[in-house]
Structures are given as structure tokens and as C-alpha cells.
Amino acid sequence: MRALLVVNPAATTTSARTRDVLIHALASEMKLEVVTTEYRGHARDLGRQAADSDDIDMVVALGGDGTVNEVVNGLLHRGPDPRLPGLAVVPGGSTNVFARALGLPNDAVEATGALLDALREERERTVGLGLAAGTPGTEDESVPSRWFTFCAGLGFDAGVVGRVEQQRELGRRSTHALYLRQVLRQFLDDPHRRHGTITLERPGADPVTDLVLSIICNTSPWTFLGNRPVYAAPKASFDTGLDVLALSRMSTPAVARYATQLLTSSPERGPHGKHAVTLHDLADFTLHSKVPLPLQMDGDHLGLRTSVTFTGVRRALRVIV
């Protein structure tokens, strides 16, 4: 087995000593090349090189969801292909949604042990992914397409992600308390929360208009608060298309109601009500906004967009689990 280990040295939950232990454990079982990322987008470039190489059987991402997303986008730069290297994940971020949704331990050492067991037993699965692109015929049509592994969002939640990134650039640690503070600030400052600007269009159905918030899920849970899973779209799965949770109202009572539903959500029941739109197993759809809104994918803020087309691509990538 020839593997490339992509290490994010800024991963929030692994120390240099822990990373050395993990590298030694992996190197004892395979021919391992280790590369430490040095800039934003480096993991994507490494994934692209692995995809174009004949010498790599597997890419291991040691980092958080952002590192995983970059590696995936590099591996799939030409699109899905069963001959591509497989992907393995060792969680090192603050939340690690993709790894945990796959059933991996949230501890990096335990996850490394699970990975080695999976390799010995030749366990893998092929998962579906989401793909987002600028919509043809709009001002965003030239925006490059991008894959996401577990979620995307246009509007409110992406604004929260952007605020968190700003705080991290100021030196603050990525904690759940930080996210919750930014949720409150986004709610108080969002100029569009009373009058939604988003329209969802999909083939064979009437448009859904005046949406304030739109969350796209490729798996479930949507995220974690500590050890508590949060289910925005409980039916979402790596084996189906994309699910959507959208809200058409974000008044103070509505936010209190839906926030409570999120915090008490379960695999059987997520947010619901008069102003909640839930859609399951969509192959493709488009979100248009009357004004530019923030877009996020896998917790990475990608700037402002007015129109994004989403596609659920089944069986897109082999993952070692």
C-alpha cells in the first residue's frame, strides 16, 4: 500500500507529538509519504497530484473538515473515477463532521487504529458527495464548481461561518462557544432575516420563494455540539441525493422554536413547522437570491453568491472505513 499523508499542522486537536505517533503507526503498515500543508489550498493541490499519479493508492487527510474538503476537491478535479486513490480520514479539527458521520472515532489515535483495522480487513465504502457550481446564465456562472462532503449553506448559516473565520484570523480558538456567539451576532445584524431573498428551483416542481435560510445536507448529522449530534435533515445519507432544510421566517419566536428543535433533534425528527421547508433526496436544484448572500461548504466561507446550482452525485469517492 502506497499512501500520501496530508497533515494540517494547524489542526486544533492534535499536537506535534501526537502527529508523530500517528505517522509512525501508519508508516509501519504502508509505504508512506508525509506532506505538511503550508498554505490555504495546499491540501487540494496535493490531492490533485495524487489523483494524477500512478504511485498513490490512498490519501490520508489528517486535519479537520476543511482539510478533508480540500483533499476531496483535489482528488476529484477531473470528476469521479473508481481508479482514483481511496480517501482515509484521521480527525484533527474541532468538529470533524465528515469523519464522525462515517462512524469513525473522534479521537485521532483511536481513528488511526480503526483505519489500520479497515486496511487489514479491506473495508471501504463508496459515498455520494455534493457538487455546487455557478448557475449558467447568471453573473455567477463563471464560479468554479466545488465538491462538499457533508453540508453547504447559502444565507444565514454561511454568515455565521464567515464571522467565525474572522474571529479565528484574530487568534481566537474554534470552539462551540465561539460559534454560538456568532450565531447570536448574525441574528441581530442580518438585514434579510425578516424578508427572505432566496428562491429554490428544481425540475418538475413549483419554486419555493422568500426563503431566509437554506441548509444543504449530504449526510446526517448536520453538525455536532460537543458530543451531541445535531440533525437538520435526519434522512440525509451518503447513499442518496441531497437534502434541504430551508426557513421562510426568522423572527425571534421562530428562531427560538427552530433552535430548540435543532438542539433536541434526533435521527427520527428534525426541525419542522409552518415556516420550515424540508426536501429529501434531490438530484439537482438551484438557489437564487435577490441580493448577494454568503455561501459556505463544509464549514468554509466562500464569499458572496446570487445563484448556486447543487447536484447530488452518488458513488463519487471510495473511502476507507
Side-chain angles (χ1 to χ4, degrees):
M1 171 70 70
R2 299 160 299 177
L4 170 66
L5 175 62
V6 178
V7 179
N8 179 2
T12 55
T13 59
T14 56
S15 65
R17 179 175 295 179
T18 300
R19 291 193 290 270
D20 288 342
V21 171
L22 303 183
I23 290 169
H24 181 75
L26 292 170
S28 68
E29 298 285 339
M30 63 190 73
K31 183 178 180 181
L32 187 68
E33 177 185 357
V34 182
V35 181
T36 299
T37 59
E38 299 176 354
Y39 53 87
R40 185 165 183 163
H42 194 181
R44 181 197 60 226
D45 295 341
L46 294 169
R48 178 190 294 259
Q49 292 168 18
D52 294 340
S53 171
D54 295 327
D55 299 327
I56 302 297
D57 301 307
M58 178 178 68
V59 178
V60 185
L62 171 51
D65 289 308
T67 303
V68 174
N69 179 277
E70 286 195 15
V71 169
V72 167
N73 274 277
L75 284 171
L76 297 179
H77 74 102
R78 297 183 188 274
D81 188 326
R83 296 168 295 182
L84 286 172
L87 172 71
V89 180
V90 177
S94 58
T95 310
N96 308 305
V97 179
F98 181 64
R100 295 164 83 176
L102 288 169
L104 294 171
N106 197 37
D107 177 79
V109 175
E110 293 182 13
T112 300
L115 168 58
L116 293 174
D117 288 342
L119 291 171
R120 295 184 192 110
E121 298 169 16
E122 299 183 350
R123 295 198 314 263
E124 64 178 45
R125 64 181 292 192
T126 304
V127 300
L129 299 173
L131 182 66
T135 306
T138 71
E139 62 185 48
D140 290 328
E141 66 178 343
S142 62
V143 175
S145 59
R146 178 159 175 158
W147 298 89
F148 59 95
T149 64
F150 66 92
C151 84
L154 181 69
F156 184 88
D157 76 307
V160 174
V161 169
R163 288 174 178 269
V164 170
E165 287 193 4
Q166 290 176 350
Q167 294 299 307
R168 292 189 67 183
E169 289 174 358
L170 295 174
R172 292 176 173 83
R173 286 179 56 83
S174 178
T175 64
H176 299 298
L178 176 63
Y179 271 90
L180 292 175
R181 288 196 299 271
Q182 302 316 311
V183 167
L184 178 59
R185 290 174 179 173
Q186 180 68 20
F187 173 73
L188 295 174
D189 294 344
D190 193 328
H192 308 296
R193 65 183 175 87
R194 296 186 182 278
H195 305 286
T197 66
I198 302 171
T199 296
L200 186 153
E201 296 180 351
R202 56 188 171 125
D206 292 335
V208 184
T209 61
D210 301 327
L211 300 174
V212 179
L213 174 151
S214 55
I215 295 172
I216 301 94
C217 293
N218 184 51
T219 189
S220 186
W222 167 53
T223 190
F224 292 83
L225 288 176
N227 291 322
R228 178 192 291 272
V230 179
Y231 299 88
K235 294 182 180 179
S237 167
F238 288 126
D239 298 318
T240 62
L242 300 174
D243 282 28
V244 175
L245 168 66
L247 301 180
S248 59
R249 177 172 295 182
M250 289 192 69
S251 61
T252 300
V255 167
R257 180 169 61 253
Y258 292 123
T260 300
Q261 290 178 355
L262 275 172
L263 292 174
T264 59
S265 59
S266 71
E268 291 74 37
R269 192 166 178 82
H272 54 279
K274 179 180 179 181
H275 303 292
V277 177
T278 56
L279 301 171
H280 174 57
D281 194 13
L282 301 184
D284 57 87
F285 61 94
T286 297
L287 296 177
H288 299 284
S289 174
K290 299 173 185 176
V291 299
L293 293 178
L295 172 70
Q296 68 88 10
M297 291 187 214
D298 289 346
D300 188 9
H301 187 268
L302 300 177
L304 302 179
R305 302 284 191 274
T306 56
S307 187
V308 187
T309 295
F310 294 90
T311 305
V313 182
R314 301 194 186 210
R315 300 186 61 82
L317 185 65
R318 287 189 305 118
V319 181
I320 313 302
V321 290

